[in-house]
Amino acid sequence: MRSYKLIGLTGRSGSGKSVVRGVFEEEGYKVIDADLLARRALESPVVLIGLKAYFGSDIINGNTLDRKSLAEKAFRDKENTAKLNSVMHPEIVRLFLGDLKDLIISGESKILFDAPQLFEAGMEVLCDLTVAVIADDELRLRRITERDNISRAEAESRLSVQLDDSFFKNECDYYLENNNSEQELKSKTRELISRI
């Protein structure tokens, strides 16, 4: 039996994953953050070359990646998002495995992988359990536009390339609905942690 439990946390943008993650952290879980891994992946010359090949050299300003330009192109449709993922995911997996190894060596037994694209990257197979946070579309759109200071159209475009809630309900071991208060979501999360 392995010495640690790895839980994959996923869900669509604006669902409330950060609140759930915070409760897991309060309960002693160490977090590996896929968004931070993605930022680190963007420092890899191999990744930058791949992105440039798919999306054009105008996504690079001097030596700096123009994230807004990349996002506009990559999230335009599912085909472009798939191209982005094909470049990013192998490097993210490599970085994840390194971080996981470090946590295991340091004796951590409770690890949460906060990964919006857990299934797209095929990383659910590494997890002992998967948990999704789901929420109504209108709520998510409002949260995304306020949080990221983007238009409703941009938020809708972003959501259109993500897996839908029915996928998470079918594929995850557990899911938490977040259509009411933050307090309720925290309470549901604590209850879930006590069960797992």
Side-chain angles (χ1 to χ4, degrees), residues 128-184:
D128 297 296
L129 288 171
T130 55
V131 178
V133 189
I134 63 175
D136 290 343
D137 283 351
E138 271 310 311
L139 269 174
R140 266 189 302 166
L141 284 167
R142 193 172 72 232
R143 289 173 187 154
I144 296 167
T145 53
E146 289 171 6
R147 181 192 70 198
D148 298 344
N149 195 27
I150 59 174
S151 70
R152 184 183 172 92
E154 286 174 300
E156 285 173 343
S157 174
R158 196 178 287 183
L159 287 176
S160 73
V161 297
Q162 296 177 1
L163 297 169
D164 60 27
D165 284 347
S166 61
F167 175 90
F168 294 119
K169 284 181 178 180
N170 290 326
E171 298 298 325
C172 287
D173 297 300
Y174 300 96
Y175 66 88
L176 300 166
E177 287 188 353
N178 180 25
N179 293 322
N180 297 307
S181 70
E182 187 174 300
Q183 212 44 53
E184 183 183 300

Side-chain angles (χ1 to χ4, degrees), residues 34-194:
D35 287 341
L36 292 180
L37 296 181
R39 283 191 206 128
R40 283 166 55 196
L42 289 170
E43 294 166 11
S44 159
V46 173
V47 167
L48 290 177
I49 288 165
L51 293 175
K52 206 165 150 183
Y54 277 132
F55 301 109
S57 55
D58 59 329
I59 62 162
I60 311 282
N61 259 334
N63 289 329
T64 310
L65 178 71
D66 182 342
R67 289 170 196 266
K68 189 167 169 54
S69 173
L70 174 62
E72 283 168 5
K73 292 181 178 193
F75 300 121
R76 190 173 293 156
D77 56 43
K78 288 189 176 181
E79 188 182 328
N80 277 1
T81 303
K83 288 175 182 175
L84 173 74
N85 292 344
S86 73
V87 175
M88 295 289 291
H89 286 166
E91 182 65 9
I92 289 170
V93 170
R94 190 186 72 75
L95 293 169
F96 165 80
L97 292 172
D99 286 1
L100 179 63
K101 181 181 171 189
D102 291 344
L103 287 173
I104 295 164
I105 288 170
S106 68
E108 297 298 338
S109 60
K110 299 191 296 186
I111 303 165
L112 182 78
F113 183 35
D114 181 354
Q117 297 217 321
L118 184 71
F119 286 89
E120 293 92 330
M123 295 177 77
E124 78 282 358
V125 298
L126 302 173
C127 301
D128 297 296
L129 288 171
T130 55
V131 178
V133 189
I134 63 175
D136 290 343
D137 283 351
E138 271 310 311
L139 269 174
R140 266 189 302 166
L141 284 167
R142 193 172 72 232
R143 289 173 187 154
I144 296 167
T145 53
E146 289 171 6
R147 181 192 70 198
D148 298 344
N149 195 27
I150 59 174
S151 70
R152 184 183 172 92
E154 286 174 300
E156 285 173 343
S157 174
R158 196 178 287 183
L159 287 176
S160 73
V161 297
Q162 296 177 1
L163 297 169
D164 60 27
D165 284 347
S166 61
F167 175 90
F168 294 119
K169 284 181 178 180
N170 290 326
E171 298 298 325
C172 287
D173 297 300
Y174 300 96
Y175 66 88
L176 300 166
E177 287 188 353
N178 180 25
N179 293 322
N180 297 307
S181 70
E182 187 174 300
Q183 212 44 53
E184 183 183 300
L185 181 60
K186 286 181 174 179
S187 173
K188 285 179 180 176
T189 305
R190 287 191 192 97
E191 190 183 314
L192 175 62
I193 291 170
S194 70

